[in-house]
Amino acid sequence: MGRKYLLFTLLTIVVAPFFSTTTAQVTLTYPSNVPDGAIYVDDNYFGISWELQVVNLIMGNSPDAIPVPLQNYLKNIRGRMSNPLRMRIGGNSLDNSYYVPAQTTMINGTVDNVGYTPITYGPIFLDTIVRLGDIIGGTQWDVGLGLVHVAEGNNTASLALTTVQKLGNRLDSFLLGNEPDLYTTHNLRPGQANYTVQNYIDDYANLLGQIHGIPDLVNVPMAGPTICCFWDLYTLLANGYLGAFRNYLKYLTIQHYPQNNCFNQTPSFDLGYYTNHANVVGLATWNIQGVQLAQQSKLNVSMSEFNSVSCGGYPGVSNTFGALLWTIDYAFQLASLGYTSAYIHTREPGVTYNLFDPPAANLDQNTPGWTTGAPYHAMLFVTEALHSSGGMAVVDVQAPSPTTAANSVAAYAIYPTPNPSIARMPPTRFVLINYAANGPLNFQFNQNNTGVYPSTGGVMSIGTVTVKELTAATLTTSTNITWAGQVVDGGGNLQGGVTNATVSGCGSSAGCTISVPGPGAVVVYLDSSDSTISNAPNATNSADPDATATSTEVVPAASFDPG
């Protein structure tokens, strides 16, 4: 059928308008089979990006000082996937700093996200991330390599060699350089009026040559260009980068934020920007021509860093439930465009967009009292929705908005990897997002919907579906956020029993209604045999729920009944 895939009605959205006794009704359609050319993502698609200069403030200063709450936060995510948790460590602080092999402390220097003052760091940071990964049950790391000090490439090559030796198969790729299109703006090339694309290609080739000059590093997986802002990706790729480095690249990496809070600049957009699905769609098409060129060249494309507002977020936006819904929407939108991974950035304690923060008075303690950031819940939601052993394809079904709230609805169909007995699978899950704060949306399933068991390819009738809800009181709140009835406590533990909705009669002549809280989001599971995904990883987490002792348990991937 080519790109002209069949569309058919799935749902009717029934909206109770505010201050009205009438009901608006909108019909939603979706592809009956996975579209041609769809790119599948693994269930570890959504990862975490860490700024190097602050990892000791979150992870502790050594492999033996990793806080238990951090372990628990990450176990919650790792327990929801069949693959290792993706982690990236780097940022501007790594790109502009110095690796000191003989340094016994993890990091020397102060946090400086304005002046970009270099720090020094030692190999213990590698020992710590290895230990952290082993504790939580498996991680794969993308590690930054500095490009700013290109004249001292031996320092970068030394870090690369030590990383390979210590991480082994935990190493996913090296990201050589970070946001080179900002080198001029950040005065990282003093005396050079304009750092150009060709300057960057020459620097990349120089350092890559030094890395490959070490026999153990000849075949290391590389990534780049990790641009963020000013350069056109298509031009960069077409004008030499792709031709020079395609055979060495595992990932094509870019990173991008909707707006910034750098240098005390007040952001232009308030929370309303983030609760509009049309803005999500527009943002995700940044540099889309270059992304498509990379995909045509058979490169995996990664959003190696993103969050709501760069340079640490913005109060009243980044730490809200509205920003959490935006994060979910944006992550799925990127997947629908063929990105194979996306990393949400986190920084030093007190930054408003962080996933979690330790108590200020106990940065190096294994005590509870951590603060769970609103965006953390997006990690749980997205990972559960994509849980699989073979990958899932994501399609934005372009849900029309109710007349009462323009662009307040987002809906994604999720398709499993084709089974040998059926070439093109129908969707087995849906993600439904309701940004409107004036009450729930009711999605009406039509009769005679059928699905396919991913494990066997056999046809099943959709009679009963499982629904998992993400809820909070308002778009502006940052607390009391529940996922399937559970909340995250100050020790990083999920508390309370799992409370999912089971909706029957979806195959009857009358169909069934799926209600999405307003504001809120749900995952709808049509595949009952595949809905036994991780919901309560604390069942395998032997860490003290009060987080008063260090857990050293290696936790395998696990499956849990949705309850």
Side-chain angles (χ1 to χ4, degrees):
M1 289 190 293
R3 298 300 297 177
K4 297 180 180 179
Y5 45 76
L6 175 66
L7 291 177
F8 66 92
T9 300
L10 167 68
L11 307 171
T12 300
I13 307 176
V14 182
V15 185
F18 214 43
F19 304 124
S20 173
T21 58
T22 61
T23 300
Q25 189 164 296
V26 180
T27 299
L28 180 68
T29 59
Y30 71 95
S32 59
N33 299 103
V34 62
D36 291 338
I39 294 177
Y40 292 84
V41 298
D42 292 327
D43 59 6
N44 65 346
Y45 159 82
F46 201 17
I48 301 174
S49 168
W50 305 87
E51 189 73 32
L52 169 70
Q53 67 178 348
V54 301
V55 293
N56 59 321
L57 302 181
I58 305 295
M59 298 183 187
N61 286 299
S62 73
D64 298 323
I66 300 171
V68 169
L70 175 65
Q71 298 175 29
N72 292 339
Y73 279 117
L74 298 181
K75 284 179 181 180
N76 292 338
I77 303 167
R78 175 63 183 91
R80 287 167 159 72
M81 56 183 62
S82 60
N83 296 285
L85 174 59
R86 292 180 184 270
M87 304 271 231
R88 173 241 183 189
I89 191 162
N92 293 323
S93 60
L94 189 148
D95 198 24
N96 188 35
S97 296
Y98 296 94
Y99 173 65
V100 181
Q103 182 171 308
T104 57
T105 56
M106 182 181 292
I107 290 174
N108 287 339
T110 59
V111 174
D112 178 10
N113 287 297
V114 176
Y116 296 96
T117 303
I119 60 171
T120 63
Y121 55 97
I124 196 170
F125 99 90
L126 295 170
D127 298 327
T128 302
I129 65 174
V130 166
R131 180 66 185 132
L132 176 61
D134 290 347
I135 287 172
I136 69 169
T139 53
Q140 61 184 55
W141 290 90
D142 295 287
V143 178
L145 297 176
L147 188 66
V148 168
H149 307 290
V150 65
E152 303 173 47
N154 60 323
N155 184 267
T156 294
S158 175
L159 171 61
L161 180 59
T162 305
T163 301
V164 167
Q165 292 169 342
K166 288 182 176 292
L167 267 64
N169 60 11
R170 304 175 186 85
L171 176 67
D172 190 31
S173 72
F174 284 122
L175 280 69
L176 182 53
N178 187 76
E179 302 177 347
D181 49 336
L182 293 182
Y183 281 5
T184 299
T185 302
H186 291 167
N187 197 31
L188 295 175
R189 285 291 185 269
Q192 188 171 357
N194 183 30
Y195 187 73
T196 67
V197 165
Q198 190 56 55
N199 294 145
Y200 165 69
I201 291 175
D202 292 344
D203 285 348
Y204 198 101
N206 182 345
L207 275 180
L208 186 62
Q210 294 186 53
I211 291 169
H212 284 170
I214 300 175
D216 288 346
L217 301 180
V218 171
N219 296 314
V220 292
M222 303 300 297
T226 323
I227 63 171
C228 70
C229 308
F230 296 142
W231 289 351
D232 178 73
L233 179 63
Y234 183 89
T235 301
L236 171 62
L237 299 183
N239 288 358
Y241 185 83
L242 199 57
F245 307 121
R246 170 63 187 89
N247 292 336
Y248 309 109
L249 293 173
K250 182 174 183 180
Y251 300 108
L252 188 289
T253 52
I254 58 176
Q255 43 204 51
H256 196 55
Y257 291 74
Q259 57 179 336
N260 74 79
N261 186 24
C262 306
F263 308 105
N264 297 316
Q265 174 180 326
T266 301
S268 302
F269 310 135
D270 60 14
L271 186 59
Y273 167 88
Y274 295 87
T275 57
N276 183 310
H277 179 62
N279 292 335
V280 172
V281 173
L283 178 68
T285 60
W286 180 75
N287 264 320
I288 190 63
Q289 188 180 13
V291 168
Q292 291 170 342
L293 177 59
Q295 291 168 341
Q296 292 163 9
S297 302
K298 307 301 181 184
L299 270 174
N300 290 316
V301 180
S302 174
M303 179 63 70
S304 52
E305 177 183 322
F306 83 91
N307 211 307
S308 55
V309 183
S310 66
C311 296
Y314 194 71
V317 172
S318 302
N319 56 345
T320 67
F321 187 65
L324 160 58
L325 296 178
W326 172 86
T327 301
I328 293 170
D329 197 357
Y330 189 53
F332 281 115
Q333 186 65 211
L334 292 174
S336 76
L337 294 177
Y339 284 77
T340 56
S341 57
Y343 296 75
I344 188 168
H345 199 50
T346 198
R347 273 185 24 189
E348 69 271 15
V351 166
T352 55
Y353 64 37
N354 278 355
L355 300 178
F356 32 68
D357 276 342
N362 294 287
L363 292 180
D364 297 319
Q365 301 293 321
N366 288 324
T367 58
W370 285 49
T371 301
T372 305
Y376 172 76
H377 303 83
M379 299 291 301
L380 306 179
F381 186 103
V382 172
T383 302
E384 284 204 28
L386 295 176
H387 177 84
S388 71
S389 58
M392 307 289 274
V394 177
V395 174
D396 183 345
V397 300
Q398 301 175 5
S401 296
T403 57
T404 52
N407 297 310
S408 64
V409 175
Y412 295 90
I414 301 177
Y415 301 77
T417 302
N419 184 281
S421 64
I422 181 168
R424 301 181 66 198
M425 303 286 283
T428 54
R429 299 174 197 162
F430 290 87
V431 167
L432 309 174
I433 300 171
N434 177 14
Y435 287 115
N438 60 351
L441 301 180
N442 293 323
F443 290 73
Q444 180 68 36
F445 272 76
N446 292 341
Q447 62 176 326
N448 299 324
N449 288 296
T450 59
V452 173
Y453 288 110
S455 58
T456 65
V459 176
M460 64 179 178
S461 175
I462 305 302
T464 300
V465 300
T466 300
V467 181
K468 304 195 71 170
E469 292 187 353
L470 178 71
T471 63
T474 66
L475 287 169
T476 57
T477 189
S478 60
T479 59
N480 297 319
I481 297 170
T482 64
W483 171 230
Q486 293 185 304
V487 296
V488 186
D489 69 13
N493 297 292
L494 285 163
Q495 295 292 347
V498 175
T499 55
N500 296 329
T502 301
V503 183
S504 302
C506 297
S508 68
S509 58
C512 64
T513 299
I514 306 297
S515 182
V516 182
V522 303
V523 181
V524 181
Y525 296 92
L526 279 63
D527 51 337
S528 57
S529 65
D530 199 36
S531 64
T532 53
I533 61 175
S534 179
N535 292 276
N538 288 332
T540 64
N541 180 355
S542 67
D544 181 2
D546 294 325
T548 56
T550 299
S551 167
T552 58
E553 181 186 9
V554 175
V555 181
S559 293
F560 298 86
D561 189 85

